[in-house]
Amino acid sequence: MKIQNDRQDAKRHMREQMLSGPVFSTMMRLALPTVAVLAAQTLVNVAETYYVSFLGTPALVGVSMVFPLWMLMTMMAAGGIGGGVASAVARAAGAGRHDDVNALILHAVVVAVVFGLLFSVSVIGFGPVLYAALGGSGEALQAAQTYSIFVFIAAVPIWIVNLLSAVLRGVGNVKVPAMVTFIGAIVLVPLSPLFIFGLGPIKGLGIAGAGVAVSLYYWLAALALLRYMASGRAGLRLRFSPLRGRLFGDILKVGVLAALGTLQLNVMVLLVTGAVGRFGLDAIGGYGTASRLDYVLIPVLFAMGTAILTMVGTNVGAGQIARARKIAWVGVAVSVTIVEVIGLIVALFPALWMGLFTQDPAIMQTGSLYLQIVAPLYVATGVVFALSFAAQGSGYMWRIFLAGTVRLLIAAGGGWVAVAYCHVSLTTLFAIIAAAIVISAVICVVTELSGAMWPRSEGSRSQRGVAEQAR
């Protein structure tokens, strides 16, 4: 009983800090555990690429072609639909609707199963066609097909892990999701090379081994999280109850637009990869390896973003719109600082990144060119991510979604046309990508300053929030 009361007290304290505590320190308290652990997970992804590089250039190119689809799914699960889950939970918690918070757990699991099955069937069934369209052929195409089958067979548990983690983050519990990811990093570091290369009597599976290691971890992690949520130890409890359309609506009205936003980003990467493919397989390898740094930054931006989302959502639920806006801009400042430092370093010294994966001169040349042009503008990426998560927390996503649409049209559409019909160089293509990022950031800033991503009736919400807290 005492343990349960302690958990409830900790939950109430975190809610009070989000509603009235110092913004920066509260944000860091929510973000830093996730930053640290996701950084460990990112290092695992980098290590896996390093392991695969020993299998040869075709294997490296194959993984590079699958990676955008993998990131599409994980970004949709964690920051897309997962953002909708965390937003719904945070707003319900901020308004004091505790029964809805518990009911949202089951709704999140149902959504995870549906989307997970959709990804498994789609990617395993149609992935080979897509990889061929991206320019894959021969051994590289075969490597991409093999790797994707073993990764996407675990799509359902991947979605369950991400959406249950989103529930916990929505109430300010960042420790458990962080530990799940941290344990995964510890497990996958030795597990990936074991399955890839083998050891003693254990036969190596090659490129398939990398996918097997990832799948095994997520199946175990999903079972562990389901058991944890059902136990009530989180101060929340997964229980069977009638499904409600209103709660699915609370998740999906934010989650669908956020997921479409991640889809836009990854479609852009896929189409740009196709455009780069017109310059040859070495160019694909260079762009894929360099642009992986963009994805490496995503866990850091995601960690900051989830802290922004939770704090904004809790304050919007309680009617504190002015505080929510302040939180959004503090989040922008921190996000921009982090990514721009990294961007400037790799722009000045691209070999620091590219040299981790290859010494092939052609791949190094393309990758270095991309980093020199795009990485200095990571500041715009930081703005877009921070304000996107703030919009998820507020529940007003439309104009931020339109900013992503503009970026897609310029970078992918404009880039493809420029390469296919105007026969521009790789330098011009990468410059178009950089311009698209900057324009998207400008639209996001204008959207926030205009008030278009915030509720308008602050007074009535605030009164309701005060009443709920008093209860």
Side-chain angles (χ1 to χ4, degrees):
M1 185 66 180
K2 183 180 182 300
I3 295 175
Q4 186 68 24
N5 289 336
D6 288 345
R7 290 191 182 114
Q8 292 297 338
D9 288 343
K11 183 178 171 184
R12 275 193 298 270
H13 176 70
M14 178 52 71
R15 181 171 178 270
E16 290 168 2
Q17 288 295 300
M18 288 190 285
L19 291 172
S20 58
V23 171
F24 178 76
S25 61
T26 303
M27 186 178 293
M28 291 301 99
R29 195 175 304 131
L30 289 170
L32 286 178
T34 309
V35 169
V37 177
L38 289 182
Q41 185 184 48
T42 299
L43 289 176
V44 171
N45 291 334
V46 172
E48 184 177 271
T49 303
Y50 176 73
Y51 299 146
V52 169
S53 69
F54 284 97
L55 299 176
T57 298
L60 185 62
V61 172
V63 170
S64 295
M65 287 191 289
V66 176
F67 195 69
L69 281 178
W70 160 257
M71 285 304 300
L72 169 63
M73 181 176 70
T74 55
M75 287 171 65
M76 285 185 70
I81 301 298
V85 170
S87 176
V89 170
R91 284 182 279 116
R97 295 186 279 114
H98 304 299
D99 288 342
D100 282 354
V101 172
N102 283 321
L104 281 164
I105 304 173
L106 177 62
H107 290 71
V109 172
V110 172
V111 171
V113 172
V114 171
F115 276 93
L117 289 174
L118 181 63
F119 264 92
S120 284
V121 172
S122 299
V123 176
I124 293 176
F126 300 102
V129 177
L130 177 59
Y131 304 139
L134 290 174
S137 61
E139 293 182 18
L141 178 59
Q142 184 178 359
Q145 292 172 350
T146 301
Y147 182 66
S148 67
I149 288 172
F150 286 98
V151 166
F152 285 96
I153 201 170
V156 169
I158 288 170
W159 274 84
I160 289 175
V161 168
N162 279 286
L163 295 199
L164 289 184
S165 296
V167 170
L168 292 168
R169 285 192 298 267
V171 294
N173 183 342
V174 294
K175 291 182 180 178
V176 171
M179 284 305 299
V180 169
T181 308
F182 184 69
I183 291 171
I186 294 175
V187 169
L188 288 175
V189 165
L191 209 58
S192 287
L194 178 65
F195 282 121
I196 293 172
F197 305 113
L199 181 66
I202 301 175
K203 184 179 179 182
L205 301 174
I207 192 71
V212 169
V214 171
S215 294
L216 180 61
Y217 159 68
Y218 274 105
W219 279 105
L220 295 175
L223 292 174
L225 266 180
L226 285 168
R227 182 176 179 181
Y228 176 77
M229 298 299 282
S231 72
R233 285 180 293 163
L236 310 171
R237 186 179 292 275
L238 169 63
R239 59 168 65 96
F240 290 101
S241 60
L243 299 176
R244 289 175 256 172
R246 174 176 63 83
L247 295 183
F248 281 122
D250 283 348
I251 293 172
L252 297 177
K253 76 175 183 179
V254 172
V256 168
L257 284 179
L260 288 174
T262 62
L263 178 62
Q264 287 177 335
L265 177 61
N266 285 273
V267 166
M268 181 190 76
V269 173
L270 287 171
L271 292 177
V272 170
T273 300
V276 171
R278 299 176 73 91
F279 295 90
L281 279 178
D282 288 336
I284 292 179
Y287 167 71
T289 304
S291 64
R292 176 165 281 211
L293 179 59
D294 300 353
Y295 287 111
V296 166
L297 293 177
I298 286 175
V300 178
L301 293 171
F302 174 78
M304 287 303 308
T306 54
I308 296 167
L309 185 157
T310 300
M311 293 179 70
V312 166
T314 301
N315 280 274
V316 167
Q320 300 183 169
I321 310 304
R323 179 175 170 83
R325 296 185 75 168
K326 178 182 178 181
I327 289 166
W329 282 107
V330 171
V332 168
V334 176
S335 300
V336 162
T337 300
I338 294 171
V339 298
E340 185 60 11
V341 168
I342 295 171
L344 290 176
I345 290 173
V346 297
L348 292 171
F349 308 103
L352 288 177
W353 176 256
M354 295 299 299
L356 292 174
F357 310 106
T358 183
Q359 296 300 321
D360 185 300
I363 293 178
M364 287 282 289
Q365 181 179 3
T366 300
S368 297
L369 179 64
Y370 176 85
L371 293 175
Q372 289 164 349
I373 294 173
V374 175
L377 297 173
Y378 279 163
V379 59
T381 302
V383 171
V384 171
F385 264 83
L387 290 181
S388 295
F389 276 98
Q392 290 178 41
S394 72
Y396 289 77
M397 280 287 298
W398 274 106
R399 294 200 184 182
I400 299 295
F401 174 75
L402 291 177
T405 303
V406 171
R407 179 179 177 179
L408 172 64
L409 292 175
I410 295 173
W416 182 269
V417 169
V419 171
Y421 298 102
C422 301
H423 308 293
V424 302
S425 65
L426 274 172
T427 301
T428 302
L429 174 61
F430 294 155
I432 292 172
I433 295 170
I437 298 171
V438 173
I439 292 170
S440 178
V442 170
I443 294 172
C444 289
V445 170
V446 171
T447 298
E448 198 290 325
L449 294 177
S450 70
M453 58 180 267
W454 302 105
R456 301 193 182 279
S457 54
E458 180 172 352
S460 61
R461 284 176 173 266
S462 182
Q463 291 171 5
R464 183 169 69 248
V466 170
E468 291 289 352
Q469 290 178 57
R471 241 180 281 160

